[in-house]
Structure formats: structure tokens, C-alpha cells
């Protein structure tokens, strides 16, 4: 089982995160941000990761530090749990519909951090959640997981549906790209390293 445990304590957040890549989609999430908890549960469920997250953050300031720092911790955990990346599929592209919204996610577990985030038209908030933090979360995740991640909204109107489509799609892409393929010997790179 490819697993990792990350703790991150700063003046702004105190995070404990446990990740099992080869899980069943079970999760226990407590960030203090209800909508964000829902999105992390979806990412875990559709990515078939087992994920536990607790975060005590400075929500009296705003949600930014908690969301970004959880992205950092999840990225670190994902990179650590993958180990040497031997035999992984590496690439994945998925389209993920959620009612009227459709997003496309493309992922490369490349060892290089890059985020493309083409998502227009989100309302400022879903409930009390600041929707601009979706990009911040995935930027922090991609930077610390050292993956290339392209998130493109093809269309959609409802901000909840759009964000849900994205989180489900990223979970599915992470699952596909991290799966081990017996036909792949060593790391899937002509360089010999990822």
C-alpha cells in the first residue's frame, strides 16, 4: 500500500493528513469549511483514495490559509506516497460532467510543477466558500505533488456544479495516472527519472 502521513503546523494552520493511494475512497475530513470538506470527500471518493484531514486554521481571518495549506499537505503526501514512481501510468485525461457543467482534467505525474486553470464565470462564493480558493488549492497541490495539471471548464452555469465537476475529475485523473501497470518497467520516462 502506497501511504503517507503529513503534519504541517504554522502560525496560521495546524494540519494532519493521512493518504492511502491504493484505497477504497473512504474519507474523514474536518477543515472547518463545509463546502471544502464536501469537495475533498468527492476527490477521495472518485479517486479511490483513503484520505483523512484535520485542520485547525485561522478561519477568523479567512479561509485562504487553510485551503492553501491543505493543498500543500496533500501534494506532499501524494508525492511521498508515490515513492519512486516505478510502473505508474503517469498520464491521465478525463472529462467529468456534473449536470450542466463539464470540465476536462489532464494530468502528468512529471516531476515538474505546473498548473493551467481555465475556469471562468464562478460566482464569488458558494455558501461561505470563496471560490477563488479553488485555483489556490490546486496551485498548492500541483506545486508540492510536482505534477502538471490542466483544469479546463468546457461549460457550466452553476458554481457548485462547476467546482464539483473539477474535484471529481481531478480525483479520477489522479487515480488513473497513479495506477501501476505491469507492462511498465521502471519509471515511464526516457530520462529514466521523474
Amino acid at each position: 500500500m502506497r501511504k503517507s502521513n503529513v503534519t504541517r503546523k504554522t502560525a496560521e494552520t495546524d494540519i494532519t493528513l493521512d493518504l492511502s493511494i491504493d484505497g477504497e475512497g473512504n474519507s474523514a475530513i474536518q477543515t472547518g469549511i463545509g463546502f471544502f470538506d464536501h469537495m475533498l470527500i468527492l476527490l477521495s471518493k472518485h479517486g479511490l483514495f483513503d484520505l483523512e484531514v484535520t485542520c485547525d486554521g485561522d478561519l477568523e481571518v479567512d479561509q485562504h490559509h487553510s485551503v492553501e495549506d491543505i493543498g500543500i499537505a496533500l501534494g506532499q503526501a501524494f508525492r511521498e506516497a508515490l515513492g519512486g514512481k516505478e510502473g505508474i501510468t503517469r498520464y491521465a485525461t478525463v472529462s467529468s460532467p456534473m449536470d450542466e457543467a463539464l470540465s476536462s482534467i489532464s494530468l502528468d505525474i512529471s516531476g515538474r510543477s505546473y498548473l493551467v486553470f481555465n475556469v471562468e464565470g464562478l460566482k464569488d462564493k458558494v455558501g461561505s466558500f470563496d471560490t477563488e480558493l479553488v485555483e489556490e488549492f490546486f496551485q498548492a497541490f500541483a506545486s508540492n505533488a510536482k505534477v502538471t495539471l490542466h483544469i479546463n471548464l468546457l461549460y457550466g452555469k452553476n458554481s457548485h456544479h462547476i467546482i464539483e465537476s473539477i474535484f471529481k475529475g481531478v480525483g479520477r485523473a489522479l487515480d488513473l495516472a497513479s495506477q501501476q501497470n505491469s507492462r511498465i518497467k521502471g519509471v515511464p520516462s526516457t530520462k529514466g527519472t521523474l
Side-chain angles (χ1 to χ4, degrees):
M1 295 288 281
R2 296 174 292 171
K3 297 181 179 181
S4 179
N5 171 268
V6 171
T7 56
R8 177 179 171 84
K9 187 173 177 67
T10 71
E12 298 164 341
T13 59
D14 187 355
I15 296 167
T16 301
L17 188 148
D18 290 295
L19 172 69
S20 174
I21 290 177
D22 303 307
E24 298 176 346
N26 300 316
S27 61
I29 313 291
Q30 294 181 333
T31 70
I33 308 167
F35 180 77
F36 186 51
D37 288 0
H38 179 44
M39 294 302 107
L40 292 175
I41 290 166
L42 291 172
L43 185 138
S44 167
K45 185 68 160 178
H46 293 278
L48 297 173
F49 305 123
D50 291 341
L51 179 64
E52 294 184 14
V53 180
T54 59
C55 177
D56 182 14
D58 57 355
L59 296 179
E60 71 281 0
V61 175
D62 69 5
Q63 300 170 349
H64 188 284
H65 300 143
S66 293
V67 172
E68 182 178 37
D69 286 7
I70 290 167
I72 291 169
L74 182 59
Q76 290 171 343
F78 187 76
R79 187 178 79 240
E80 183 179 299
L82 280 176
K85 304 181 189 122
E86 293 88 357
I88 64 165
T89 302
R90 180 176 167 176
Y91 295 98
T93 296
V94 300
S95 293
S96 189
M98 174 62 198
D99 292 350
E100 87 298 341
L102 181 66
S103 65
S104 172
I105 311 298
S106 291
L107 175 73
D108 177 10
I109 302 175
S110 60
R112 295 182 307 280
S113 306
Y114 204 89
L115 175 69
V116 173
F117 189 83
N118 292 318
V119 179
E120 300 295 330
L122 290 176
K123 294 186 173 127
D124 289 342
K125 292 194 180 275
V126 173
S128 66
F129 180 75
D130 299 321
T131 60
E132 69 180 4
L133 297 179
V134 175
E135 183 173 3
E136 295 295 326
F137 171 77
F138 286 114
Q139 180 64 63
F141 173 79
S143 294
N144 287 274
K146 297 202 179 299
V147 300
T148 298
L149 177 59
H150 290 241
I151 298 173
N152 292 288
L153 175 66
L154 304 179
Y155 44 81
K157 294 179 181 177
N158 181 292
S159 294
H160 186 134
H161 294 168
I162 290 167
I163 297 168
E164 185 164 331
S165 166
I166 290 167
F167 272 84
K168 286 177 176 177
V170 170
R172 291 173 56 220
L174 287 169
D175 176 47
L176 291 170
S178 64
Q179 285 181 16
Q180 293 180 307
N181 183 329
S182 63
R183 294 170 56 207
I184 299 171
K185 306 306 179 198
V187 295
S189 171
T190 55
K191 293 195 232 15
T193 186
L194 287 174

